Amino acid sequence: GHAVRRFARLALPYWKSERRWRIAGATLLFLLLTIGQVVLVMWTSYWNRAFFDALEARSLDALLQQILVFALILVLTMAVTALHMHVKRWLQLDWRRWLTANLVEKWMTRSRHYRLQFMKGEHDNPDQRIAEDIRISTEAAISLAHSLTYSMLIGSGFIAILSEISGSATFPGSEFEVPGYMVLLAFAYAGGGATIGYLLGRPLVRATNRLQSVEANLRFSLARARENAEAIALTHGERMERHSAARLFADIARVWNRQTLAYLGIVSFSTAYGNLMPVFPILVAAPQFIAGALTLGGLMQAAQAFERLASALSWPIDKLGEIAMWRTSAGRVVNLHDDMLRLDAIDGEGAPARIRIGHSTNAELHLRGLSLDTPAGEPLIRGLNLRVRRGERILIVGDSQVKLALFKAVAGLWPWGSGEICLPEGPQMVFLPQHPFLPTGSLRAVLCYPQQAEHYDTAELRRALECAGVAWLVPRLDETDDWNHVLPLRAQQRLSTARLFLQQPAWVFLEDTTEAFDAKAEAEIMEMLRHELPNTALLCVSRHSSLEHFFERRLELHRIDTPGAKPPVEEPAASPAPLTGSAEVGR
């Protein structure tokens, strides 16, 4: 019940979305077609009675008439079934589209896709939860809702038919009459089946939940191996990857065997239950037929009505596997969504133990009393105060973990610590990581990322590539490839630098972006940045002190727990350029 309520809160607003009238129309048509299916089944039941009565009467005219009626029922059933399937699949796809769009938007906003990795909770493999679990939970929800509605309508219809046909029967050994005794028998038959099926099905639910988790682990491991194919090949890690895959598959095999044992009980029972269903009502009603109280048509209709009613009442058991799969997938989707909401709640609390991100009222970056910790709570630095004005260039050196934490903190990806970061007003800051992300697509789109390629003309793209020293890529602008794999790291870093020359940002934060360059190439690219982006503020995290003369200020950072560590130290860089601005640094 709890899983249903949580999923309902997340997914039911679909029916109140901007296309609510079209969705309501499709839902109403879906319900009407389901009622149409039920009406046709009940008509078939009465036709069944008339057909067998015609056979018993050996009437050729009545038989031919029933054949024509059956042809009409058949055509209508085909039409209703086809239209019903079309509407059902449209609803399934549209609901999935809406829910996927909602979760992807939440996941890909405010860096939640990154920050979730550092938060405890049930949100492993979010890609699979969005792609696969949303599909299962929406498809199965509509399918189950349809089959439940259908079963309830069929059940109520055939209770009336069975009560009318079977009449009353005397309880054995007494004069007590049981009205609609076949209805009571159908309830008892289905109730007994449901109870036994539920008890046998509980281990299956647990095994199915576990199997989905271990299957996801194998998929994730193989996808990670594919993404890091080059690194694995270079370190000859294939044997370890094979061992890892074999170990994960052993987990699948163990849970699969547990699921097989759970299936054995339920399949054996279901087979006996299903095979007895058509025979049981004929045996029960046979005495009335032999006594002449029932015609052959009445007997066959009673048997069919009993079967239909018992099937409708058996809905919870018949759908046990589908319900288990739906609950697992819906739970995985809801857990991902809830953990993203928890991230927002943590942000909203503004806890003192977290770094606050604000915005300056002018064109400057201001760090006030900034302290950085590791995710485990170990201190990195304390009391960093820094003011950077537009156009200033600062070289950041020292401990690599502290530098990386500062880089991520200014980007809003490192909440661990305290103090405040006031970002400059106006254009966004651009952050270039050491290993740039080059999406699969045309080189034109890669160069313009994250802007649309239409924003820039070919001449601007050519100029940017020339400035970054990769003019040889100009003829390949309209080629599509997996650039992260086809280009060496040096060319990837040059390509990410070309984005700066193209997009001309006002604020740039570089994280060892020229690490793969030799000293001469590094000096050339820094000179080009100074020449092409004279008004851009440049903060460069680097391990190369040879770059100092390109910067006006130098910030040295050391871990607080390093022996002999100094507090954050800021000093003029070894440069002929004058020192501009100032920074207050303290513990």
Side-chain angles (χ1 to χ4, degrees):
H2 183 53
V4 175
R5 283 196 303 275
R6 288 166 70 208
F7 184 75
R9 279 200 301 271
L10 170 62
L12 289 186
Y14 164 69
W15 272 267
K16 296 177 184 175
S17 63
E18 68 282 355
R19 295 158 67 246
R20 66 176 74 87
W21 295 113
R22 189 176 179 189
I23 295 163
T27 308
L28 180 61
L29 180 59
F30 187 52
L31 179 61
L32 291 173
L33 288 166
T34 303
I35 293 169
Q37 287 180 323
V38 172
V39 168
L40 286 165
V41 168
M42 293 181 69
W43 187 5
T44 304
S45 173
Y46 281 104
W47 173 85
N48 208 37
R49 179 178 181 172
F51 178 74
F52 279 101
D53 282 343
L55 284 178
E56 190 179 29
R58 293 177 168 79
S59 168
L60 189 60
D61 287 349
L63 191 64
L64 289 171
Q65 186 184 349
Q66 291 310 313
I67 289 169
L68 290 173
V69 170
F70 182 74
L72 175 62
I73 293 172
L74 187 64
V75 169
L76 286 172
T77 302
M78 287 166 63
V80 168
T81 303
L83 187 55
H84 182 274
M85 187 195 73
H86 177 72
V87 176
K88 175 184 172 182
R89 286 178 65 83
W90 184 88
L91 269 173
Q92 286 173 325
L93 181 68
D94 200 61
W95 193 14
R96 180 187 172 190
R97 176 198 58 77
W98 179 86
L99 190 53
T100 302
N102 270 17
L103 251 76
V104 168
E105 184 180 355
K106 227 176 192 63
W107 188 48
M108 279 291 168
T109 306
R110 293 171 61 185
S111 308
R112 292 188 190 99
H113 59 97
Y114 172 81
R115 292 159 62 209
L116 271 176
Q117 301 172 76
F118 302 98
M119 181 176 155
K120 288 181 181 175
E122 280 216 27
H123 48 250
D124 57 292
N125 305 328
D127 49 314
Q128 192 222 340
R129 290 170 190 253
I130 292 171
E132 187 66 8
D133 289 311
I134 287 179
R135 179 187 69 78
I136 292 169
S137 53
T138 51
E139 283 182 15
I142 286 176
S143 181
L144 288 167
H146 160 248
S147 60
L148 178 60
T149 307
Y150 179 82
S151 295
M152 289 168 68
L153 292 171
I154 283 281
S156 55
F158 279 101
I159 283 174
I161 290 173
L162 203 52
S163 300
E164 177 201 333
I165 296 169
S166 64
S168 303
T170 307
F171 196 78
S174 72
E175 293 185 6
F176 178 67
E177 285 203 343
V178 182
Y181 74 100
M182 285 190 78
V183 173
L184 296 177
L185 277 175
F187 270 89
Y189 186 88
T195 305
I196 298 168
Y198 174 72
L199 294 173
L200 290 172
R202 285 174 72 182
L204 180 63
V205 174
R206 288 195 295 272
T208 303
N209 289 357
R210 183 73 191 124
L211 186 61
Q212 279 187 272
S213 293
V214 292
E215 292 273 15
N217 291 342
L218 177 64
R219 273 196 301 273
F220 175 75
S221 175
L222 296 175
R224 185 183 51 78
R226 185 199 50 182
E227 287 165 8
N228 297 285
E230 185 180 348
I232 291 167
L234 289 170
T235 52
H236 302 293
E238 290 90 346
R239 190 167 60 88
M240 290 301 292
E241 293 303 317
R242 287 199 301 272
H243 283 321
S244 173
R247 191 183 69 253
L248 291 169
F249 196 87
D251 289 343
I252 290 173
R254 192 174 62 254
V255 181
W256 176 274
N257 290 333
R258 202 178 300 159
Q259 192 189 42
T260 301
L261 287 173
Y263 267 126
L264 280 176
I266 203 157
V267 166
S268 304
F269 171 70
S270 298
T271 304
Y273 181 84
N275 286 345
L276 184 59
M277 177 117 45
V279 180
F280 183 74
I282 294 176
L283 295 175
V284 169
Q288 279 186 297
F289 173 68
I290 292 165
L294 270 181
T295 63
L296 178 62
L299 175 68
M300 299 314 290
Q301 189 183 20
Q304 190 194 48
F306 181 97
E307 198 176 334
R308 292 282 187 181
L309 177 56
S311 293
L313 294 171
S314 302
W315 181 86
I317 297 307
D318 293 341
K319 299 295 179 183
L320 199 67
E322 197 175 344
I323 291 168
M325 189 167 66
W326 175 83
R327 279 190 61 173
T328 303
S329 289
R332 284 168 59 79
V333 172
V334 168
N335 286 338
L336 174 63
H337 179 258
D338 286 357
D339 281 353
M340 289 194 285
L341 290 183
R342 273 206 298 140
L343 265 182
D344 293 352
I346 290 167
D347 290 347
E349 285 166 11
R354 294 177 75 78
I355 295 166
R356 296 184 303 282
I357 304 283
H359 287 273
S360 296
T361 52
N362 49 20
E364 68 176 28
L365 170 69
H366 196 181
L367 312 182
R368 293 197 190 101
L370 183 65
S371 296
L372 298 171
D373 298 332
T374 65
E378 296 163 356
L380 291 174
I381 59 164
R382 289 286 177 265
L384 171 61
N385 294 287
L386 179 69
R387 192 186 296 270
V388 184
R389 295 189 175 84
R390 174 82 183 265
E392 287 188 312
R393 285 156 194 254
I394 298 181
L395 180 67
I396 302 169
V397 295
D399 184 274
S400 58
Q401 190 177 9
V402 180
K403 291 186 298 182
L404 185 60
L406 179 63
F407 178 81
K408 290 183 176 180
V410 177
L413 303 181
W414 195 277
W416 303 285
S418 59
E420 188 175 10
I421 298 172
C422 286
L423 299 175
E425 64 169 358
Q428 276 189 314
M429 293 186 81
V430 170
F431 295 84
L432 286 195
Q434 183 179 358
H435 295 278
F437 172 61
L438 307 179
T440 301
S442 71
L443 190 63
R444 185 182 296 273
V446 168
L447 187 53
C448 299
Y449 186 87
Q451 308 293 334
Q452 294 293 329
E454 300 82 57
H455 289 185
Y456 305 98
D457 59 39
T458 304
E460 289 176 297
L461 300 180
R462 186 183 294 114
R463 166 90 178 143
L465 291 172
E466 285 168 359
C467 289
V470 276
W472 54 274
L473 283 173
V474 171
R476 303 186 66 182
L477 272 173
D478 293 307
E479 281 185 33
T480 296
D481 213 328
D482 186 358
W483 302 103
N484 269 114
H485 289 104
V486 300
L487 294 178
L489 179 60
R490 185 171 60 255
Q492 290 179 38
Q493 290 182 339
R494 283 189 181 275
L495 194 55
S496 72
T497 313
R499 287 175 179 162
L500 302 180
F501 299 122
L502 178 69
Q503 298 172 18
Q504 299 275 315
W507 298 83
V508 175
F509 213 133
L510 307 177
E511 180 221 338
D512 269 331
T513 309
T514 55
E515 180 241 0
F517 292 25
D518 58 34
K520 182 171 177 289
E522 200 169 36
E524 284 172 0
I525 206 87
M526 284 296 169
E527 185 58 52
M528 190 60 77
L529 282 169
R530 183 156 68 182
H531 181 265
E532 291 291 317
L533 304 173
N535 299 316
T536 295
L538 194 66
L539 293 94
C540 182
V541 171
S542 180
R543 65 189 72 178
H544 298 167
S545 56
S546 60
L547 298 177
E548 274 197 31
H549 61 284
F550 291 104
F551 296 89
E552 299 143 353
R553 297 156 67 187
R554 179 176 179 273
L555 180 65
E556 193 171 334
L557 302 172
H558 294 284
R559 274 190 73 139
I560 200 167
D561 55 3
T562 305
K566 298 179 288 182
V569 176
E570 197 216 339
E571 55 195 35
S575 164
L579 173 65
T580 59
S582 62
E584 180 193 351
V585 180
R587 288 291 295 270

